[in-house]
Amino acid sequence: MAELLAVCRVYVLHPDPGPVGVTAIDKRPVEGRVKVRPYGLYADVQADRANHGGLDQAVYAYAQEDADHWSDELGREVTPGLFGENLRVSGLDVNGAVIGERWQVGSALLEVTQPRTPCQTFGRRLGEQRWVRRFTQANRTGAYLRVIENGDLGAGDTVDVVHHPLHGVTVADWFGAQYGLARAAAGAGADAAAAAEPETLEELAQRLLNAHAAGEIRLSVDMHRRSEQAAARAVVD
């Protein structure tokens, strides 16, 4: 059973040498129940709203299993919120979530929209050498979600996948195809999945666009743009 281990929101804004000048990546767990609205958790903020937040990236989720992987790699604990996530979950393959998949968490209904693309602010946050490159190559990005139904949630809530789109394109499929990466192993079928020939970005893009056109899913603005660009390249080629 998948469980919400921690709910995290901004603790303090820090100065940052990036274009915005500050960062809200310092998220830390809060106690009690937290309201969720279309733009995310109550009292949470995003400093760089051009690249983070908004309706399509209202909530960011990361799996404890992936955090454990990084704890082993880095030799230190990856505490909830360290990666800037709002939700730390356990028992759910976040990277294997299908684009458009819906999660019931507490009384809130959330929908997976896209993978996280690591930035230099994230690299400065971790202070690890070549961090953005390492995080990218691991293909353990976590997932952004939009809010379908307002509600509230708190640590200890179950995370129930209540809708699973048929197109089958996962967060890791898309991110991996963008960067030529293998899927991170996540279960008993991982070896078989890794042995299969991965689809190209163009093929995945067309599947997403078809599902969007059929009303099966609603692609985020960013994912729709990227999918159209990839599909257009396939036509040209």
Side-chain angles (χ1 to χ4, degrees), residues 16 18 22-23 25 52 119-126 132:
D16 184 77
V22 296
T23 175
I25 198 171
H52 303 284
C119 62
Q120 292 303 319
T121 298
F122 187 29
R124 290 187 288 271
R125 162 76 161 163
L126 267 290
V132 171

Side-chain angles (χ1 to χ4, degrees), residues 92 96-103 110-112 145 161 163-165:
L92 179 65
V98 172
I99 303 296
E101 183 176 297
R102 292 185 175 185
W103 303 352
L110 309 176
E111 182 177 270
V112 175
L145 305 103
V161 178
H163 174 65
H164 198 78

Side-chain angles (χ1 to χ4, degrees), residues 16-200:
D16 184 77
V20 179
V22 296
T23 175
I25 198 171
D26 187 354
K27 314 284 188 188
R28 303 190 190 182
V30 295
E31 296 183 356
R33 304 198 67 74
V34 179
K35 295 178 180 179
V36 184
R37 296 295 182 263
Y39 286 94
L41 303 185
Y42 177 76
D44 192 36
V45 298
Q46 297 85 30
D48 181 5
R49 295 187 178 179
N51 297 298
H52 303 284
L55 295 172
D56 292 331
Q57 300 180 45
V59 178
Y60 175 48
Y62 206 74
Q64 182 61 45
E65 292 78 5
D66 291 315
D68 291 341
H69 164 83
W70 288 117
S71 292
D72 292 340
E73 287 281 318
L74 301 176
R76 58 172 165 142
E77 185 179 3
V78 177
T79 55
L82 182 64
F83 284 5
E85 75 271 25
N86 299 114
L87 308 181
R88 176 67 66 86
V89 302
S90 177
L92 179 65
D93 182 10
V94 176
N95 306 306
V98 172
I99 303 296
E101 183 176 297
R102 292 185 175 185
W103 303 352
Q104 186 75 49
V105 190
S107 59
L109 183 62
L110 309 176
E111 182 177 270
V112 175
T113 58
Q114 62 192 78
R116 182 233 194 108
T117 300
C119 62
Q120 292 303 319
T121 298
F122 187 29
R124 290 187 288 271
R125 162 76 161 163
L126 267 290
E128 296 285 343
Q129 188 174 19
R130 299 183 299 109
W131 175 248
V132 171
R133 180 180 178 86
R134 292 169 66 184
F135 188 82
T136 297
Q137 291 182 330
N139 199 2
R140 296 174 182 267
T141 66
Y144 280 118
L145 305 103
R146 66 165 62 98
V147 180
I148 301 300
E149 292 180 4
N150 296 345
D152 63 79
L153 45 74
D157 286 347
T158 58
V159 182
D160 296 314
V161 178
V162 297
H163 174 65
H164 198 78
L166 297 177
H167 64 79
V169 180
T170 69
V171 167
D173 289 338
W174 178 260
F175 191 81
Q178 280 188 293
Y179 294 98
L181 307 170
R183 171 76 167 88
D191 290 340
E197 185 70 24
E199 290 183 271
T200 66

